[in-house]
Each structure stands twice: as C-alpha cells, then as structure tokens.
Amino acid sequence: MEQIEGIVEDIIFCNKDNWYTVCDVRSGRRLITIVGYMPGLAVGETIIVNGNWTVHQDYGEQLKVETYERSLPTTTDSIFKYLSSGIIKGIGEITAKKIIDKFGNDTLRVLQFEPLRLSEIKGISAEKALRIGQAFMEREQIRQIVMFLQKFGISATYSIKVWKKFGSESVNEITKNPYRLTDEDINIGFKIADRVAISLGIDSQSEFRVASGIHYALSKAVQNGHVYLPSDVLVSYASKLLNISPEVVENTLSKLIFEESIYIEKTADETRVYLAAFYKAEQFVCRKLKILSEVMPKKDILDLDELLQRVEDEHSIEYTDEQLKAIRLSATESILVVTGGPGTGKTTLIKGIISIFEKSGMEIALAAPTGRAAKRMTEATGMEAKTIHRLLEMEFSENENLREFKKNERDPIKADVIIIDEASMIDILLMHALLKAVEPGTRLILVGDVDQLPSVGPGRVLSDIIESQCLKTIRLNTIFRQAKESFIVINAHKINKGQFPELNSPNDDFFFISRNSSQSTAQAILELCTVRIPEKFGLDPMKDIQVLSPAKKGDSGVYSLNAALQQSLNPPKAGIKEKPYRGMIFRENDRVMQVKNNYNLSWKMIPENGDVVSGEGIFNGDMGIIRDIDPENNYLTVLFDDGKLVEYDFDMLDELEHSYAITVHKSQGSEFPAVVIALSGIPPMLRLRNLLYTAITRARQLVILVGHIEILKQMVNNITEKERFTGLKERLNQYFC
C-alpha cells in the first residue's frame, strides 16, 4: 500500500449517491489520478491517501484509495480553488475572490469562527454571511464524521446519515454510544456497530454492550411484528449475537428493569420481556377499551326503527339480519367491532350507520390506517375519510426526534362517532395513539377483515380484540347476491375455509396460469401486464394492474419484476429525465412506493377548488407517480394517490422503491382493478393461507395467479400463521373478567 500527499487539482467525476470520486491530485511535480469513496472532496484541499495502484484499460494508472485524510487548504491560491469550486453554497468565483482579497490566508478561520465579518464585503448581507458560515461548518462536520467512521470501515453513505441525524454532535454521539448506529434511520448492522464499540474500548462483557444487544434484539423483534419476546428466546438470541454466556445476558436483563427501558412480566406460561413503549401501549389499550366500554354514548338515537326504514327506502336496500344487528348495536354500544370477508356488505353497513347517525344530528369522523384505504373509504361513502395519523393531527418534534399527535386526552377528537375501516392494519402503537384521543361517551366502530394478514407493525390488535370476546363483535357471513357472481369473492371465501379455488372462471375474473419455474412465471407476468390484459380487458397497465409477489428476491420476486416491468412500461425516452440510484433508475412517470415512515416529510395538496393544503408525514406503503425530476437542484417530485405532492432530495431516495410489483404485505388496505399474483419462488415460511387470501382480496375486477399449482395447494392448506408474541388478548381478558 502506498501513501500519497497532495492537493486536489480537479474533480473529474463524483457520484453523489455514494460519493465515488475520480480526481487529479498534485503531489510535488506528479499529477496522480485517484479513485475511491471520498465524500465532499473539493478542489484545493490537501489530502493524504493510502491505496494500491491499479491500471484502468481506458484511463491508465490510478491509485485506488483505501483510506484518506483531508485538511483544509492553506495558501491563498488553494483557498481560492476550494471556495470557487462551488463546494460552499453561496460562494462562486466572484464571491471567492472578494473574500480572499479581504481576508487572505485568514479566510477559512473567518468562515469558521467569525462568519458575520463577511458582511464587511460589499454585496454580502449579514444574513448571507451567516448562511455561508453555516454551509462551511456543515462541510466541516461532514468531513469529521466521515474521517471518524472511515477508521472502522463504515462507508460514506452511512456517514452522511449519521451527520443528518446528529449534526455537529455526530462524533460525540457515536463515541458515547456506538450502538446508535443501529437506529432505524441509520440502519447499520449490529455487528458493525459492535465492532466500532469494541474498537473504542468497550469491554465485550460490559453491561453497556450487553444492554445494547438486548435492546437491539427487542427492536428486531418489533420489526418482525412481535410486541414482546419470551425471556428464553431473548436470552438465547442475545447470547449468540454477543458471543457471551446466557448468564451474563440474564444478569444484565435483571438490572435493566430498574432503568424502566424494558419491562418484564411473568405469566403462568412464560416470562415476557417488553421494550417500555410497547408494554405501556398494551397496558393503556386494555385500560382505555375498558373505560370506553363502560361509558354510555353521549347522544342517544331516537326512533331507530323508523330511521332504519327511511335509510332502507332511500338506499333501496334490505339489510341482512347480521347487518341489522350491527346497526342496532352501533346505536347502543360505545364500542363495536365488525368483521367479514369480501362481498359481505361491510361498506354497505358503514354507509347505513353513517346515514342513521347523520339523521340523528351527530358529528361523524371516518378514518383508515393508510392513504389508499382512506381514499377508498371516501369514494365508497361519499364522506371525507382521513388517515388515522391525519385524524390525530400528527406533528413532528424535531427536538425529541419523535412523532407526536395533537389529539390526545387533553384535546380529544371532536366527534360523536368515530368509524375506522381496515382495522386489521392497526398496530399496537397506532391503537394506543388513537384511543388516547377518543373521549369516553364517543362511539368507536372498528371495521376490518380479521382473516387478512395482520398489521405490518407490531401486534395483531384486531384479532386479539375479537378473540378475547370482551367487546361486542359482529361477523358478517352472508355473501350478497351480486358478490356471489364474482369468482374473486367465491374463491376468497373458499380459500379462507381451506377449500381449493375454482380456477379459470366462466365470468372472466379469476384465472390460474401454470408455470414451472420462476423465470417462466416472470415472463408470463410481463406478457400479461404489457399485452394480454390490456388487449382482452381494456385495462391500463400503468394505472389498473398491480403485480403482487410474496417474495422480494428471485426471478419472480418484487425486485426483478419491477426492473422488467419498468423497462417494458416506462422505458428510457428522449425528454424523459431519470436518476440512477444504488443500482436502480428512477424515471419520470415511474410508479413508486414510500417504504418507511417519514413523519417530517412535507407535502402539499392542490384541490380542484379551494386553498392549498399542506402538512407533514408520508408513510410506509403510500404509492404514487414520479411527476418530475430536477437534476440541477437534486430533487424529484412524487404525486401520491391521495393527492399529496412531495419533493424528495436525491439523498432521500432510499425511502422510495418502484411499485409496478409490490409484496402482498405492502398491498394491505389497497384495492386495484386487476391483480396478478406470482406463485413461484416463494419461501416456505411465506406459503400461508392468509397471505394468499389477502392477495386475492386486493382485486375488484380480475385476479390472475401465475406459477406452481403445488405452491397454490400448499398455501390453501396451510392455516399456520407466522407467530407473533402479543399479550393483548390475555390482558383484555384480565381487565374485563
């Protein structure tokens, strides 16, 4: 390995996604080309690089950088090159010359410690001077964290994430607690963070390290849908993760109880270990449901039978006995749960309940967990439905880096009735936030299909409530005559009962296409989406057809299908801008999905009539179209299906994925005219009945299954659900009994 010291003369190429840089460095009389990952490198800087010589077939001899150090330029000539390179926002060649003429070799010290003095120069206001000083300090902070983390083999991409999270305190925060690198918004693996910690002198058996490992294990469990872990499962996982004895983990676990960052609860069968937030949420949900159920509704409904008759006449409908029972219970109960499969009249029931309450002069709030589900609810009822987050008026606390809701016990939701659709998607934390904002005496009606997949987030809230039998619950079983004609509905119910579906329906709405490999499955899906479905059914492949796959990887997984579908449905064209990013290409008109919750991402909506509405928060699963890419200003604009318009800086593109094909889990709460489902290359753990049922019930007009008949049979017969550790059901029984 060779070490070179020199001054950066020219930046030949820089990929700002990963900071791969090609530049020329002047070292003595030699001009050397160096290549490697070097964030924020600028002309005029002095660098010391360690690397190995390579020979590029086109560009000749180059030094491939393994590690590097940077120092700011010291001569007026190098300072000028540095500032005029555009590396500091607000300084170009003319401004750079003015600053150096004024301050000479003292320029960088003034920028760092006395930026307001820049206002002594004609044309630079005090405000601009401070902005330039701030931009200079940001460059320095990035340089420091990159240099610090580079010693541990951590790439520049992660360094930038650390800086965005901690800013000027980045080095201090990571030195103090290296395990912050595993935080969700940085997402470095625990083993890498652990390596940093040990390099910084943290003993392998220190309580701090073991406690961090325990918290990490519980956080990973939450990401997999669990609310707690049994202590034996946790101890076994943590001891393997940390390569220490189970006794050391158990000792630290006992001490963590006193810090109240975790809670331990002993039951007859096991000892449960919770992260504090989830223990408190589960406790609160049970307590609040008990309180709500014991308080009679604030407003009575008079002459219910007469109102029911009026509603039936107005809607030209005759409710089933199940629906009538649900309507009567909604009039008398403070909490009502309604569940049922497709075609059983859940939407019809919601509309009837709304009509009854409206005619009784009550204020009604409608909501659903996702934007797409809320939009569907609005279209079905003719009344505005909001996301639960918007109903609770979510805001982002920058000081605490946490989401907060304005609506809570002190300022509850102003409504006499709250109706929540797609309630199977509600996780324990969202249920906690919702119930905090429900005032005793307000009717709460939860509607959802309990047989679908549980929420993406932790818990199985709707299932636990229903199985506890503590609250009034109506299951709609009667399939309406119109729905009986749909083989989508017929087969969904068959699958839910463990019966094999009827394939290739005479109604042209449900088909199975046999393919024996993942490659042939993917090819068939491509033909269906681009040619066969549009020609036969007149559906728009960009708007009406959604491909679902249980798997992410493999030829028939989401990643490969997205690449193939994008190439066919939205290929490169003259005048259509695109942005390469980490092996993907984002292109104008691409279908995309937000893949993580971002509570402080700003959006605006431009209604056809009325003022522009703005807010914050885009959530995991929200889908839309790339409307514009602006390479000069480094951002792209996405128009989401619910009308929100959002600008994404290019360094935020890890929050987006293509959505020509999505996983079944990501499709929850959505409905599409046509659904094409890949049934090849599915890992055994995902061959689940409720996953297949969920996928089929996403379609309104057409379902096409493509793949192995044996996989279809396995999924229909597999009633097993992925186990989730949740204590809500037992806790409800304790509270109510």
Side-chain angles (χ1 to χ4, degrees):
M1 189 174 289
E2 185 166 346
Q3 185 177 88
I4 299 291
E5 181 175 358
I7 297 174
V8 179
E9 288 232 336
D10 185 28
I11 304 291
I12 299 168
F13 170 79
C14 179
N15 181 341
K16 290 190 177 178
D17 291 336
N18 57 18
W19 297 100
Y20 182 81
T21 304
V22 180
C23 65
D24 286 337
V25 173
R26 175 70 63 183
S27 180
R29 294 184 177 182
R30 291 193 298 168
L31 188 65
I32 300 166
T33 300
I34 66 172
V35 298
Y37 297 94
M38 296 172 282
L41 201 63
V43 171
E45 286 185 301
T46 297
I47 63 171
I48 300 172
V49 300
N50 294 285
N52 299 300
W53 290 103
T54 61
V55 178
H56 191 280
Q57 60 181 5
D58 295 323
Y59 303 113
E61 193 174 50
Q62 300 174 337
L63 187 70
K64 186 177 180 182
V65 176
E66 296 295 330
T67 63
Y68 75 110
E69 296 178 19
R70 298 159 56 192
S71 58
L72 292 171
T74 54
T75 66
T76 54
D77 182 53
S78 60
I79 292 171
F80 174 74
K81 286 182 179 179
Y82 175 72
L83 294 181
S84 61
S85 69
I87 197 72
I88 307 299
K89 192 173 181 180
I91 300 181
E93 283 192 26
I94 295 173
T95 304
K97 187 175 187 309
K98 288 180 180 179
I99 294 172
I100 291 168
D101 287 345
K102 175 72 175 176
F103 299 110
N105 287 339
D106 204 27
T107 293
L108 298 185
R109 189 196 65 79
V110 170
L111 283 171
Q112 186 167 3
F113 299 109
E114 301 178 274
L116 198 56
R117 288 192 60 194
L118 296 176
S119 61
E120 297 172 13
I121 299 169
K122 187 177 179 180
I124 300 180
S125 65
E127 184 182 356
K128 184 177 180 180
L130 291 175
R131 281 203 308 269
I132 290 172
Q134 183 179 2
F136 179 80
M137 286 306 299
E138 285 181 0
R139 301 295 310 179
E140 277 301 283
Q141 290 162 12
I142 294 172
R143 183 175 70 84
Q144 289 171 16
I145 190 63
V146 168
M147 294 296 101
F148 174 71
L149 292 177
Q150 178 185 256
K151 295 183 294 186
F152 307 107
I154 294 174
S155 72
T157 302
Y158 286 114
S159 300
I160 300 301
K161 288 186 176 183
V162 172
W163 177 78
K164 283 186 174 181
K165 185 176 181 71
F166 299 116
S168 61
E169 293 299 310
S170 293
V171 173
N172 290 338
E173 285 291 334
I174 301 305
T175 302
K176 186 168 60 178
N177 182 0
Y179 298 101
R180 295 302 303 273
L181 292 168
T182 65
D183 288 359
E184 186 180 358
D185 44 2
I186 300 173
N187 204 28
I188 288 177
F190 181 85
K191 290 184 178 179
I192 296 175
D194 197 38
R195 189 178 69 217
V196 174
I198 291 172
S199 299
L200 291 171
I202 294 175
D203 185 80
S204 64
Q205 297 202 25
S206 74
E207 285 185 14
F208 176 72
R209 177 175 182 260
V210 179
S212 297
I214 289 170
H215 279 99
Y216 174 77
L218 290 170
S219 297
K220 287 293 288 183
V222 165
Q223 291 174 26
N224 289 324
H226 304 298
V227 181
Y228 71 86
L229 281 182
S231 61
D232 57 341
V233 174
L234 173 62
V235 169
S236 174
Y237 178 85
S239 64
K240 289 176 184 175
L241 178 73
L242 299 167
N243 195 25
I244 57 176
S245 71
E247 291 74 23
V248 175
V249 177
E250 288 170 348
N251 290 338
T252 303
L253 197 54
S254 299
K255 294 176 182 178
L256 284 175
I257 301 170
F258 297 102
E259 297 177 9
E260 296 187 350
S261 60
I262 67 167
Y263 281 78
I264 293 180
E265 183 177 64
K266 292 186 178 181
T267 70
D269 302 318
E270 61 187 1
T271 299
R272 300 171 175 178
V273 186
Y274 290 81
L275 288 171
F278 297 93
Y279 178 79
K280 292 176 181 177
E282 207 171 75
Q283 290 270 34
F284 178 86
V285 166
C286 293
R287 188 167 62 248
K288 189 62 179 282
L289 286 174
K290 175 72 169 171
I291 292 169
L292 292 175
S293 68
E294 292 177 339
V295 177
M296 293 298 294
K298 288 179 290 188
K299 293 186 178 180
D300 293 329
I301 295 179
L302 304 176
D303 301 319
L304 178 59
D305 289 333
E306 182 182 327
L307 284 174
L308 259 172
Q309 189 60 55
R310 284 174 58 192
V311 170
E312 284 188 326
D313 292 343
E314 287 173 9
H315 293 276
S316 300
I317 189 170
E318 185 177 343
Y319 293 112
T320 65
D321 291 342
E322 296 162 347
Q323 290 174 319
L324 285 171
K325 185 177 179 182
I327 291 173
R328 293 185 187 282
L329 285 172
S330 72
T332 58
E333 297 293 323
S334 294
I335 304 178
L336 175 65
V337 179
V338 179
T339 189
T344 56
K346 295 191 297 296
T347 300
T348 302
L349 174 62
I350 291 173
K351 291 169 69 175
I353 290 173
I354 290 171
S355 293
I356 295 288
F357 289 131
E358 278 185 329
K359 292 180 189 307
S360 300
M362 296 191 193
E363 189 171 347
I364 306 162
L366 305 183
T370 66
R372 291 183 71 91
K375 185 179 179 183
R376 282 177 54 207
M377 196 179 188
T378 299
E379 291 168 350
T381 63
M383 180 177 175
E384 184 191 12
K386 301 177 180 179
T387 63
I388 296 175
H389 291 84
R390 191 171 161 216
L391 179 68
L392 298 176
E393 298 182 20
M394 192 202 71
E395 59 185 0
F396 189 78
S397 170
E398 293 191 14
N399 293 333
E400 299 296 329
N401 201 32
L402 296 168
R403 63 177 179 179
E404 294 177 346
F405 296 102
K406 290 183 182 178
K407 294 298 180 183
N408 50 37
E409 298 99 328
R410 296 181 299 278
D411 182 16
I413 298 165
K414 300 296 187 290
D416 300 305
V417 186
I418 300 170
I419 304 176
I420 307 294
D421 198 11
E422 296 288 355
S424 63
M425 299 178 66
I426 301 176
D427 63 38
I428 192 65
L429 291 184
L430 187 56
M431 192 64 172
H432 174 229
L434 174 64
L435 292 180
K436 283 177 72 176
V438 179
E439 193 174 23
T442 298
R443 289 175 172 84
L444 176 64
I445 301 172
L446 303 174
V447 183
D449 186 347
V450 75
D451 295 316
Q452 289 185 22
L453 289 169
S455 58
V456 174
R460 47 196 300 273
V461 173
L462 186 65
S463 295
D464 282 347
I465 289 173
I466 292 172
E467 290 175 16
S468 73
Q469 299 182 4
C470 293
L471 296 170
K472 292 289 185 182
T473 300
I474 293 293
R475 178 181 273 273
L476 303 177
N477 294 303
T478 304
I479 302 175
F480 277 71
R481 182 186 59 78
Q482 204 169 12
K484 284 181 180 178
E485 298 172 1
S486 164
F487 272 72
I488 297 173
V489 173
I490 291 168
N491 283 330
H493 285 276
K494 278 180 170 287
I495 288 167
N496 201 31
K497 295 174 183 175
Q499 300 170 9
F500 197 74
E502 297 184 36
L503 306 179
N504 304 327
S505 79
N507 293 353
D508 281 352
D509 66 351
F510 195 101
F511 299 93
F512 176 80
I513 298 175
S514 178
R515 291 293 183 270
N516 293 322
S517 70
S518 294
Q519 295 96 324
S520 59
T521 295
Q523 184 58 42
I525 289 172
L526 195 61
E527 291 172 5
L528 285 165
C529 293
T530 56
V531 179
R532 294 173 64 182
I533 294 176
E535 286 184 356
K536 182 174 176 60
F537 297 97
L539 296 174
D540 184 340
M542 289 293 286
K543 296 178 181 178
D544 301 327
I545 305 170
Q546 182 61 59
V547 176
L548 303 180
S549 176
K552 291 183 177 180
K553 298 178 181 178
D555 291 318
S556 58
V558 164
Y559 298 143
S560 293
L561 287 171
N562 266 318
L565 288 164
Q566 182 201 35
Q567 183 61 31
S568 295
L569 297 175
N570 191 30
K573 286 182 184 176
I576 300 296
K577 297 187 286 293
E578 57 184 44
K579 169 62 182 174
Y581 185 81
R582 295 187 185 176
M584 294 186 291
I585 294 176
F586 288 107
R587 190 173 291 133
E588 289 176 337
N589 303 320
D590 267 343
R591 290 168 57 175
V592 291
M593 172 183 279
Q594 175 81 10
V595 294
K596 62 172 69 172
N597 290 335
N598 187 328
Y599 300 105
N600 64 334
L601 189 56
S602 299
W603 53 263
K604 61 182 178 181
M605 297 176 71
I606 308 174
E608 293 181 6
N609 299 305
D611 297 329
V612 173
V613 180
S614 61
E616 291 183 338
I618 299 295
F619 304 105
N620 190 352
D622 288 351
M623 295 170 66
I625 299 287
I626 296 177
R627 283 300 182 213
D628 180 58
I629 296 177
D630 188 338
E632 291 185 11
N633 294 300
N634 294 328
Y635 73 88
L636 60 77
T637 304
V638 176
L639 177 63
F640 283 95
D641 292 343
D642 59 1
K644 292 175 183 171
L645 203 62
V646 180
E647 291 182 357
Y648 287 81
D649 292 335
F650 284 166
D651 59 6
M652 295 171 58
L653 294 184
D654 60 341
E655 297 189 14
L656 290 176
E657 288 181 0
H658 293 109
S659 63
Y660 300 95
I662 61 176
T663 63
V664 179
H665 285 84
K666 293 285 189 186
S667 73
Q668 286 175 265
S670 299
E671 193 176 73
F672 310 95
V675 166
V676 180
I677 304 167
L679 293 182
S680 289
I682 303 174
M685 67 180 66
L686 293 176
R687 297 179 185 181
L688 306 171
R689 181 188 296 174
N690 63 350
L691 189 143
L692 178 63
Y693 173 79
T694 301
I696 288 170
T697 55
R698 301 307 89 207
R700 285 198 303 270
Q701 301 173 31
L702 176 66
V703 168
I704 302 180
L705 307 172
V706 186
H708 290 269
I709 193 74
E710 286 303 317
I711 289 180
L712 176 59
K713 290 176 181 177
Q714 289 172 27
M715 295 180 82
V716 171
N717 292 328
N718 187 4
I719 196 170
T720 306
E721 292 186 24
K722 290 179 73 175
E723 184 179 18
R724 288 193 171 196
F725 295 117
T726 162
L728 183 61
K729 175 183 170 182
E730 293 89 338
R731 208 180 296 281
L732 282 167
N733 283 320
Q734 291 169 7
Y735 270 82
F736 279 79
C737 297

